[in-house]
Amino acid sequence: MNASFRKLFLHAFFLISTIPSFHFNAFAANSDENKKEDVSLQKIKTEKVLKVCSDAGFLPFEMKTQKGDWIGFDVDMMKEFAKTLSVELKMIQISFDGIIPALISAKCDLIAAGMTVTTERKAMVLFSDSTFTSGLSIAIKNNEKNKNEFKDLNSLDKAGIKIAVKTGYTSDIYLSKTLKKAQILKFDQDADLVLAVMQGRANAFVSDTTYVDLMDKGNKNKFIILPTKVVAESFSIAAKKDDLILINKFNSFLKQWKENGGYEKARKYYFVDQVWRSQVAN
């Protein structure tokens, strides 16, 4: 065997001998990743409980009855998801501005809190497919002065004007980026936004359109509703970044829940019929 042929033979042998090792290592890496992603789902099934962080008071997505029981569109959705896993649902109350840290620190398995998908949040959590679509609306007190003076968000952006939002909500993020002169008042509870306007502590409050509409219907003729440029944003369930299998499991459930009519039934009950109102403390 001459030197050049021997060199070519050894080079070919080296390449062939490394291929199985390469595939094995790639397979092992994938297996490790899948195992890592599957930890939360296995933990849920082992403990027989699905822990969901939420912030009660965002009607009609997550609420508590006068007896202290959780109800709402998101709550019903998570109850149905828990059934598909053959586990119990445990709702955990967390203030919205601390809800992502609570998830990351494993106080819960998922977040269901009417959370909109934003670039900033996507960097921290893994989002499901869209569970609901809404926008942002403005509510001001219904009187002649307000009717003549305020037509949209731009007309509210003046020195001396106070606008109430819930801390950490999309309305908080949006107004913080948009307003130049008006003062933003931040509250921890959704109901405080309404009270701030009714009591004259704020000129307006901004929240998701579904919530603003419900407050308008529940306080007939007390508000004027104005639009914003945010007309459609997606709500989603959030999981820890590694929990791809868990979020895919939820996405499969969501698709089936929509196909079998469960989604529409819950939507009609909470957004159209609204028979739950008598159960919730005002």
Side-chain angles (χ1 to χ4, degrees), residues 103-120:
L103 172 70
I104 294 172
S105 63
K107 290 182 179 178
C108 53
D109 306 302
L110 296 170
I111 293 173
M115 180 175 282
T116 55
V117 179
T118 66
T119 302
E120 295 83 0

mmCIF file with all atom_site columns, all heavy atoms in Angstrom, residues 103-120:
data_model
loop_
_atom_site.group_PDB
_atom_site.id
_atom_site.type_symbol
_atom_site.label_atom_id
_atom_site.label_alt_id
_atom_site.label_comp_id
_atom_site.label_asym_id
_atom_site.label_entity_id
_atom_site.label_seq_id
_atom_site.pdbx_PDB_ins_code
_atom_site.Cartn_x
_atom_site.Cartn_y
_atom_site.Cartn_z
_atom_site.occupancy
_atom_site.B_iso_or_equiv
_atom_site.pdbx_formal_charge
_atom_site.auth_seq_id
_atom_site.auth_comp_id
_atom_site.auth_asym_id
_atom_site.auth_atom_id
_atom_site.pdbx_PDB_model_num
ATOM 1   N N   . LEU A 1 103 ? -44.518 31.858 38.270 1.00 0.00 ? 103 LEU A N   1
ATOM 2   C CA  . LEU A 1 103 ? -44.436 30.714 37.359 1.00 0.00 ? 103 LEU A CA  1
ATOM 3   C C   . LEU A 1 103 ? -42.990 30.226 37.246 1.00 0.00 ? 103 LEU A C   1
ATOM 4   O O   . LEU A 1 103 ? -42.726 29.026 37.371 1.00 0.00 ? 103 LEU A O   1
ATOM 5   C CB  . LEU A 1 103 ? -44.956 31.098 35.971 1.00 0.00 ? 103 LEU A CB  1
ATOM 6   C CG  . LEU A 1 103 ? -44.752 30.061 34.859 1.00 0.00 ? 103 LEU A CG  1
ATOM 7   C CD1 . LEU A 1 103 ? -45.650 28.849 35.092 1.00 0.00 ? 103 LEU A CD1 1
ATOM 8   C CD2 . LEU A 1 103 ? -45.021 30.673 33.482 1.00 0.00 ? 103 LEU A CD2 1
ATOM 9   N N   . ILE A 1 104 ? -42.076 31.139 37.023 1.00 0.00 ? 104 ILE A N   1
ATOM 10  C CA  . ILE A 1 104 ? -40.667 30.779 36.840 1.00 0.00 ? 104 ILE A CA  1
ATOM 11  C C   . ILE A 1 104 ? -40.094 30.101 38.089 1.00 0.00 ? 104 ILE A C   1
ATOM 12  O O   . ILE A 1 104 ? -39.272 29.187 37.992 1.00 0.00 ? 104 ILE A O   1
ATOM 13  C CB  . ILE A 1 104 ? -39.846 32.032 36.462 1.00 0.00 ? 104 ILE A CB  1
ATOM 14  C CG1 . ILE A 1 104 ? -40.283 32.537 35.069 1.00 0.00 ? 104 ILE A CG1 1
ATOM 15  C CG2 . ILE A 1 104 ? -38.348 31.732 36.466 1.00 0.00 ? 104 ILE A CG2 1
ATOM 16  C CD1 . ILE A 1 104 ? -39.679 33.869 34.678 1.00 0.00 ? 104 ILE A CD1 1
ATOM 17  N N   . SER A 1 105 ? -40.564 30.531 39.259 1.00 0.00 ? 105 SER A N   1
ATOM 18  C CA  . SER A 1 105 ? -40.082 29.936 40.509 1.00 0.00 ? 105 SER A CA  1
ATOM 19  C C   . SER A 1 105 ? -40.851 28.675 40.884 1.00 0.00 ? 105 SER A C   1
ATOM 20  O O   . SER A 1 105 ? -40.711 28.171 41.996 1.00 0.00 ? 105 SER A O   1
ATOM 21  C CB  . SER A 1 105 ? -40.162 30.957 41.647 1.00 0.00 ? 105 SER A CB  1
ATOM 22  O OG  . SER A 1 105 ? -41.515 31.342 41.889 1.00 0.00 ? 105 SER A OG  1
ATOM 23  N N   . ALA A 1 106 ? -41.700 28.178 39.953 1.00 0.00 ? 106 ALA A N   1
ATOM 24  C CA  . ALA A 1 106 ? -42.418 26.905 40.100 1.00 0.00 ? 106 ALA A CA  1
ATOM 25  C C   . ALA A 1 106 ? -43.491 26.914 41.184 1.00 0.00 ? 106 ALA A C   1
ATOM 26  O O   . ALA A 1 106 ? -43.839 25.864 41.730 1.00 0.00 ? 106 ALA A O   1
ATOM 27  C CB  . ALA A 1 106 ? -41.441 25.761 40.339 1.00 0.00 ? 106 ALA A CB  1
ATOM 28  N N   . LYS A 1 107 ? -44.063 28.092 41.479 1.00 0.00 ? 107 LYS A N   1
ATOM 29  C CA  . LYS A 1 107 ? -45.207 28.128 42.391 1.00 0.00 ? 107 LYS A CA  1
ATOM 30  C C   . LYS A 1 107 ? -46.459 27.582 41.704 1.00 0.00 ? 107 LYS A C   1
ATOM 31  O O   . LYS A 1 107 ? -47.435 27.246 42.358 1.00 0.00 ? 107 LYS A O   1
ATOM 32  C CB  . LYS A 1 107 ? -45.442 29.552 42.887 1.00 0.00 ? 107 LYS A CB  1
ATOM 33  C CG  . LYS A 1 107 ? -44.372 30.046 43.847 1.00 0.00 ? 107 LYS A CG  1
ATOM 34  C CD  . LYS A 1 107 ? -44.685 31.446 44.357 1.00 0.00 ? 107 LYS A CD  1
ATOM 35  C CE  . LYS A 1 107 ? -43.602 31.908 45.324 1.00 0.00 ? 107 LYS A CE  1
ATOM 36  N NZ  . LYS A 1 107 ? -43.840 33.290 45.822 1.00 0.00 ? 107 LYS A NZ  1
ATOM 37  N N   . CYS A 1 108 ? -46.403 27.544 40.379 1.00 0.00 ? 108 CYS A N   1
ATOM 38  C CA  . CYS A 1 108 ? -47.516 26.990 39.610 1.00 0.00 ? 108 CYS A CA  1
ATOM 39  C C   . CYS A 1 108 ? -46.974 26.385 38.323 1.00 0.00 ? 108 CYS A C   1
ATOM 40  O O   . CYS A 1 108 ? -45.807 26.599 37.964 1.00 0.00 ? 108 CYS A O   1
ATOM 41  C CB  . CYS A 1 108 ? -48.562 28.057 39.312 1.00 0.00 ? 108 CYS A CB  1
ATOM 42  S SG  . CYS A 1 108 ? -47.897 29.545 38.545 1.00 0.00 ? 108 CYS A SG  1
ATOM 43  N N   . ASP A 1 109 ? -47.834 25.643 37.631 1.00 0.00 ? 109 ASP A N   1
ATOM 44  C CA  . ASP A 1 109 ? -47.444 24.986 36.387 1.00 0.00 ? 109 ASP A CA  1
ATOM 45  C C   . ASP A 1 109 ? -47.751 25.839 35.167 1.00 0.00 ? 109 ASP A C   1
ATOM 46  O O   . ASP A 1 109 ? -47.046 25.775 34.154 1.00 0.00 ? 109 ASP A O   1
ATOM 47  C CB  . ASP A 1 109 ? -48.171 23.645 36.261 1.00 0.00 ? 109 ASP A CB  1
ATOM 48  C CG  . ASP A 1 109 ? -47.954 22.764 37.471 1.00 0.00 ? 109 ASP A CG  1
ATOM 49  O OD1 . ASP A 1 109 ? -46.789 22.465 37.785 1.00 0.00 ? 109 ASP A OD1 1
ATOM 50  O OD2 . ASP A 1 109 ? -48.954 22.383 38.121 1.00 0.00 ? 109 ASP A OD2 1
ATOM 51  N N   . LEU A 1 110 ? -48.824 26.620 35.265 1.00 0.00 ? 110 LEU A N   1
ATOM 52  C CA  . LEU A 1 110 ? -49.277 27.448 34.152 1.00 0.00 ? 110 LEU A CA  1
ATOM 53  C C   . LEU A 1 110 ? -49.837 28.771 34.671 1.00 0.00 ? 110 LEU A C   1
ATOM 54  O O   . LEU A 1 110 ? -50.212 28.873 35.843 1.00 0.00 ? 110 LEU A O   1
ATOM 55  C CB  . LEU A 1 110 ? -50.367 26.732 33.347 1.00 0.00 ? 110 LEU A CB  1
ATOM 56  C CG  . LEU A 1 110 ? -49.994 25.438 32.617 1.00 0.00 ? 110 LEU A CG  1
ATOM 57  C CD1 . LEU A 1 110 ? -51.258 24.758 32.100 1.00 0.00 ? 110 LEU A CD1 1
ATOM 58  C CD2 . LEU A 1 110 ? -49.032 25.714 31.465 1.00 0.00 ? 110 LEU A CD2 1
ATOM 59  N N   . ILE A 1 111 ? -49.920 29.745 33.785 1.00 0.00 ? 111 ILE A N   1
ATOM 60  C CA  . ILE A 1 111 ? -50.617 31.005 34.074 1.00 0.00 ? 111 ILE A CA  1
ATOM 61  C C   . ILE A 1 111 ? -51.860 31.076 33.205 1.00 0.00 ? 111 ILE A C   1
ATOM 62  O O   . ILE A 1 111 ? -51.787 30.883 31.994 1.00 0.00 ? 111 ILE A O   1
ATOM 63  C CB  . ILE A 1 111 ? -49.734 32.233 33.771 1.00 0.00 ? 111 ILE A CB  1
ATOM 64  C CG1 . ILE A 1 111 ? -48.547 32.315 34.717 1.00 0.00 ? 111 ILE A CG1 1
ATOM 65  C CG2 . ILE A 1 111 ? -50.552 33.527 33.856 1.00 0.00 ? 111 ILE A CG2 1
ATOM 66  C CD1 . ILE A 1 111 ? -47.557 33.412 34.349 1.00 0.00 ? 111 ILE A CD1 1
ATOM 67  N N   . ALA A 1 112 ? -53.007 31.351 33.835 1.00 0.00 ? 112 ALA A N   1
ATOM 68  C CA  . ALA A 1 112 ? -54.247 31.622 33.106 1.00 0.00 ? 112 ALA A CA  1
ATOM 69  C C   . ALA A 1 112 ? -54.834 32.887 33.715 1.00 0.00 ? 112 ALA A C   1
ATOM 70  O O   . ALA A 1 112 ? -55.504 32.837 34.741 1.00 0.00 ? 112 ALA A O   1
ATOM 71  C CB  . ALA A 1 112 ? -55.221 30.456 33.223 1.00 0.00 ? 112 ALA A CB  1
ATOM 72  N N   . ALA A 1 113 ? -54.534 34.030 33.106 1.00 0.00 ? 113 ALA A N   1
ATOM 73  C CA  . ALA A 1 113 ? -54.903 35.294 33.732 1.00 0.00 ? 113 ALA A CA  1
ATOM 74  C C   . ALA A 1 113 ? -55.234 36.376 32.710 1.00 0.00 ? 113 ALA A C   1
ATOM 75  O O   . ALA A 1 113 ? -54.925 37.551 32.925 1.00 0.00 ? 113 ALA A O   1
ATOM 76  C CB  . ALA A 1 113 ? -53.767 35.761 34.646 1.00 0.00 ? 113 ALA A CB  1
ATOM 77  N N   . GLY A 1 114 ? -55.840 35.986 31.600 1.00 0.00 ? 114 GLY A N   1
ATOM 78  C CA  . GLY A 1 114 ? -56.134 36.970 30.563 1.00 0.00 ? 114 GLY A CA  1
ATOM 79  C C   . GLY A 1 114 ? -54.867 37.674 30.106 1.00 0.00 ? 114 GLY A C   1
ATOM 80  O O   . GLY A 1 114 ? -54.875 38.864 29.823 1.00 0.00 ? 114 GLY A O   1
ATOM 81  N N   . MET A 1 115 ? -53.783 36.918 30.002 1.00 0.00 ? 115 MET A N   1
ATOM 82  C CA  . MET A 1 115 ? -52.482 37.504 29.670 1.00 0.00 ? 115 MET A CA  1
ATOM 83  C C   . MET A 1 115 ? -52.304 37.632 28.165 1.00 0.00 ? 115 MET A C   1
ATOM 84  O O   . MET A 1 115 ? -52.467 36.664 27.425 1.00 0.00 ? 115 MET A O   1
ATOM 85  C CB  . MET A 1 115 ? -51.346 36.669 30.265 1.00 0.00 ? 115 MET A CB  1
ATOM 86  C CG  . MET A 1 115 ? -49.958 37.214 29.972 1.00 0.00 ? 115 MET A CG  1
ATOM 87  S SD  . MET A 1 115 ? -48.646 36.289 30.804 1.00 0.00 ? 115 MET A SD  1
ATOM 88  C CE  . MET A 1 115 ? -48.815 36.961 32.473 1.00 0.00 ? 115 MET A CE  1
ATOM 89  N N   . THR A 1 116 ? -51.970 38.837 27.731 1.00 0.00 ? 116 THR A N   1
ATOM 90  C CA  . THR A 1 116 ? -51.733 39.064 26.306 1.00 0.00 ? 116 THR A CA  1
ATOM 91  C C   . THR A 1 116 ? -50.290 38.721 25.948 1.00 0.00 ? 116 THR A C   1
ATOM 92  O O   . THR A 1 116 ? -49.384 38.825 26.774 1.00 0.00 ? 116 THR A O   1
ATOM 93  C CB  . THR A 1 116 ? -52.012 40.527 25.918 1.00 0.00 ? 116 THR A CB  1
ATOM 94  O OG1 . THR A 1 116 ? -51.238 41.390 26.755 1.00 0.00 ? 116 THR A OG1 1
ATOM 95  C CG2 . THR A 1 116 ? -53.473 40.859 26.093 1.00 0.00 ? 116 THR A CG2 1
ATOM 96  N N   . VAL A 1 117 ? -50.109 38.327 24.712 1.00 0.00 ? 117 VAL A N   1
ATOM 97  C CA  . VAL A 1 117 ? -48.785 37.949 24.216 1.00 0.00 ? 117 VAL A CA  1
ATOM 98  C C   . VAL A 1 117 ? -48.032 39.206 23.789 1.00 0.00 ? 117 VAL A C   1
ATOM 99  O O   . VAL A 1 117 ? -48.490 39.943 22.921 1.00 0.00 ? 117 VAL A O   1
ATOM 100 C CB  . VAL A 1 117 ? -48.901 36.974 23.027 1.00 0.00 ? 117 VAL A CB  1
ATOM 101 C CG1 . VAL A 1 117 ? -47.524 36.609 22.503 1.00 0.00 ? 117 VAL A CG1 1
ATOM 102 C CG2 . VAL A 1 117 ? -49.669 35.725 23.443 1.00 0.00 ? 117 VAL A CG2 1
ATOM 103 N N   . THR A 1 118 ? -46.891 39.445 24.408 1.00 0.00 ? 118 THR A N   1
ATOM 104 C CA  . THR A 1 118 ? -46.043 40.571 24.021 1.00 0.00 ? 118 THR A CA  1
ATOM 105 C C   . THR A 1 118 ? -44.615 40.059 23.803 1.00 0.00 ? 118 THR A C   1
ATOM 106 O O   . THR A 1 118 ? -44.253 38.986 24.284 1.00 0.00 ? 118 THR A O   1
ATOM 107 C CB  . THR A 1 118 ? -46.014 41.667 25.106 1.00 0.00 ? 118 THR A CB  1
ATOM 108 O OG1 . THR A 1 118 ? -45.364 41.150 26.290 1.00 0.00 ? 118 THR A OG1 1
ATOM 109 C CG2 . THR A 1 118 ? -47.412 42.130 25.463 1.00 0.00 ? 118 THR A CG2 1
ATOM 110 N N   . THR A 1 119 ? -43.828 40.841 23.104 1.00 0.00 ? 119 THR A N   1
ATOM 111 C CA  . THR A 1 119 ? -42.434 40.465 22.846 1.00 0.00 ? 119 THR A CA  1
ATOM 112 C C   . THR A 1 119 ? -41.663 40.310 24.150 1.00 0.00 ? 119 THR A C   1
ATOM 113 O O   . THR A 1 119 ? -40.870 39.376 24.311 1.00 0.00 ? 119 THR A O   1
ATOM 114 C CB  . THR A 1 119 ? -41.749 41.528 21.965 1.00 0.00 ? 119 THR A CB  1
ATOM 115 O OG1 . THR A 1 119 ? -42.473 41.657 20.737 1.00 0.00 ? 119 THR A OG1 1
ATOM 116 C CG2 . THR A 1 119 ? -40.317 41.141 21.658 1.00 0.00 ? 119 THR A CG2 1
ATOM 117 N N   . GLU A 1 120 ? -41.916 41.223 25.102 1.00 0.00 ? 120 GLU A N   1
ATOM 118 C CA  . GLU A 1 120 ? -41.211 41.181 26.378 1.00 0.00 ? 120 GLU A CA  1
ATOM 119 C C   . GLU A 1 120 ? -41.556 39.907 27.151 1.00 0.00 ? 120 GLU A C   1
ATOM 120 O O   . GLU A 1 120 ? -40.681 39.256 27.730 1.00 0.00 ? 120 GLU A O   1
ATOM 121 C CB  . GLU A 1 120 ? -41.566 42.413 27.220 1.00 0.00 ? 120 GLU A CB  1
ATOM 122 C CG  . GLU A 1 120 ? -41.102 43.739 26.642 1.00 0.00 ? 120 GLU A CG  1
ATOM 123 C CD  . GLU A 1 120 ? -42.029 44.318 25.590 1.00 0.00 ? 120 GLU A CD  1
ATOM 124 O OE1 . GLU A 1 120 ? -43.067 43.676 25.298 1.00 0.00 ? 120 GLU A OE1 1
ATOM 125 O OE2 . GLU A 1 120 ? -41.727 45.397 25.057 1.00 0.00 ? 120 GLU A OE2 1
#
